[in-house]
Amino acid sequence: QVQLQQSGPGLVKPSQTLSLTCAISGDSVSSDSTTWNWIRQSPSRGLEWLGRTYYSSKWYNDYAVSVKSRITISPDTSKNQFSLQLNSVTPDDTAVYFCARFNWGNNWFDPWGQGTLVTVSS
Amino acid sequence: DIQMTQSPSSLSASVGDRVTITCRASQSINTYLNWYQQKPGKAPKLLIYLASSLQSGVPSRFSGSRSGTDFTLTISSLQPEDFATYYCQQSYSTPITFGQGTQLEIK
């Protein structure tokens, strides 16, 4: 059974960098036909897909236009995990952040991490 | 980006009622439409994938259908554990997008 375990701080100061990690068990971050995603949820934005990383002969990333200039999603094959970095955060980035697996064969997000509430405040 | 418009945004119903939630895509997405249920403090849970396929372990009172770019989630007989928020999500193209949600409340 695949499980995703998120870790990272719940409070970040404005203009600083939000960093979260998603540890994978039961699958590999390097799996073919699988993407590893970050999604956030807030009352103002609803569920918003932020981006993904995946391996297909080499590593690829795709990002949402709304955060493209500030976001990095990167794999760590040695620890079988992937991470999110969001730079220059503002209070508008306050949200619950989820990591999730997406398999192209199945075409759905499953499983999800437990979610991390990140508050941007001084 | 493909916009997903869900309706209604909220719905009050009673145990035993039949409930329908609709999601409209702004362009063709074939059958690349999933439905999720979310309860407070939890991650979304997959109910229906590819518009009409029931995820393993999900009760058969949940069903999905498609008509063009309109998609429907139906709960045939509401149970107390079904009161939650429901989201549609398209996986036809990137960026992957979600509907704004339908909050199902007890009448």
Side-chain angles (χ1 to χ4, degrees):
Chain A
Q1 182 185 2
V2 180
Q3 292 186 319
L4 303 179
Q5 181 66 40
Q6 297 177 218
S7 59
L11 180 63
V12 181
K13 289 182 166 53
S15 79
Q16 294 193 343
T17 297
L18 181 160
S19 295
L20 296 173
T21 298
C22 184
I24 303 164
S25 58
D27 199 350
S28 169
V29 71
S30 305
S31 287
D32 246 352
S33 301
T34 301
T35 70
W36 303 96
N37 299 259
W38 287 98
I39 296 161
R40 68 182 177 183
Q41 184 174 32
S42 65
S44 59
R45 295 176 177 269
L47 284 163
E48 179 185 18
W49 175 82
L50 298 177
R52 65 187 180 187
T53 189
Y54 61 97
Y55 184 78
S56 183
S57 301
K58 67 175 186 176
W59 287 101
Y60 293 88
N61 292 101
D62 295 307
Y63 299 127
V65 168
S66 61
V67 295
K68 192 167 187 176
S69 63
R70 301 190 291 130
I71 190 173
T72 302
I73 296 175
S74 53
D76 182 341
T77 57
S78 66
K79 296 181 178 179
N80 200 31
Q81 63 187 29
F82 64 107
S83 63
L84 166 70
Q85 286 198 309
L86 187 65
N87 302 325
S88 305
V89 296
T90 71
D92 191 48
D93 294 310
T94 294
V96 177
Y97 287 75
F98 294 99
C99 59
R101 181 182 73 162
F102 184 95
N103 182 286
W104 272 316
N106 298 329
N107 264 282
W108 64 68
F109 288 114
D110 184 73
W112 297 59
Q114 77 274 24
T116 302
L117 172 60
V118 179
T119 301
V120 179
S121 174
S122 54
Chain B
D1 298 3
I2 297 175
Q3 308 302 317
M4 306 302 296
T5 304
Q6 252 184 271
S7 61
S9 56
S10 64
L11 176 59
S12 294
S14 301
V15 172
D17 283 354
R18 180 183 181 89
V19 165
T20 298
I21 298 168
T22 299
C23 186
R24 173 168 290 175
S26 60
Q27 64 185 73
S28 175
I29 58 171
N30 202 330
T31 59
Y32 293 101
L33 189 284
N34 303 320
W35 289 99
Y36 298 84
Q37 176 193 68
Q38 187 179 31
K39 295 185 177 179
K42 300 292 188 181
K45 170 191 170 187
L46 180 71
L47 299 175
I48 301 285
Y49 62 94
L50 294 176
S52 59
S53 295
L54 191 67
Q55 171 68 335
S56 175
V58 174
S60 59
R61 63 181 179 272
F62 291 92
S63 64
S65 64
R66 171 203 176 195
S67 176
T69 58
D70 291 339
F71 298 84
T72 299
L73 173 69
T74 299
I75 310 172
S76 60
S77 178
L78 273 173
Q79 298 302 300
E81 61 268 29
D82 300 337
F83 291 94
T85 303
Y86 294 83
Y87 295 93
C88 60
Q89 169 250 315
Q90 67 82 18
S91 57
Y92 181 78
S93 67
T94 306
I96 294 170
T97 48
F98 294 83
Q100 74 272 33
T102 296
Q103 187 171 5
L104 181 51
E105 300 170 327
I106 301 173
K107 186 184 286 185

